[in-house]
Amino acid sequence: IFIDIYPNPTTGILAWKLLTDEPTGITMSMCNSLGREEMATSSPVPTQVHEGTIDLQKYNTGIYFLKFMVGEKTLSRKIIKQ
């Protein structure tokens, strides 16, 4: 599994791309530094390439965590909102 998130740090739009070895659906969520879930989305369509954008302009500056659930695996990445 490969995850690319850019730009990080960001002041607005954050782009992400996730590549998997086999076609699968994913669930993604974003939590703030206190662990409160700020947003969640899922893509049940089985594919090897998932990508999208997140508009962080309405969120406060700080640290957030993107969590990707791919099958039995969970991966997290730290995002800095300036």
Side-chain angles (χ1 to χ4, degrees):
I1 297 175
F2 171 79
I3 301 173
D4 191 18
I5 299 172
Y6 53 93
N8 189 19
T10 185
T11 57
I13 305 294
L14 183 75
W16 62 271
K17 185 174 190 175
L18 184 139
L19 307 174
T20 61
D21 296 330
E22 297 181 16
T24 185
I26 67 164
T27 301
M28 182 187 68
S29 62
M30 184 177 78
C31 297
N32 63 22
S33 59
L34 300 175
R36 190 177 104 218
E37 188 174 274
E38 298 285 345
M39 58 85 58
T41 186
S42 64
S43 176
V45 177
T47 183
Q48 286 180 273
V49 178
H50 298 271
E51 55 190 330
T53 59
I54 303 170
D55 185 355
L56 295 176
Q57 293 177 10
K58 64 182 179 182
Y59 294 98
N60 294 329
T61 58
I63 297 174
Y64 294 87
F65 296 92
L66 283 182
K67 182 165 59 170
F68 296 90
M69 286 146 282
V70 183
E72 300 292 318
K73 297 179 182 175
T74 300
L75 302 113
S76 295
R77 296 295 185 266
K78 181 170 74 170
I79 303 302
I80 299 171
K81 166 64 168 56
Q82 295 181 326

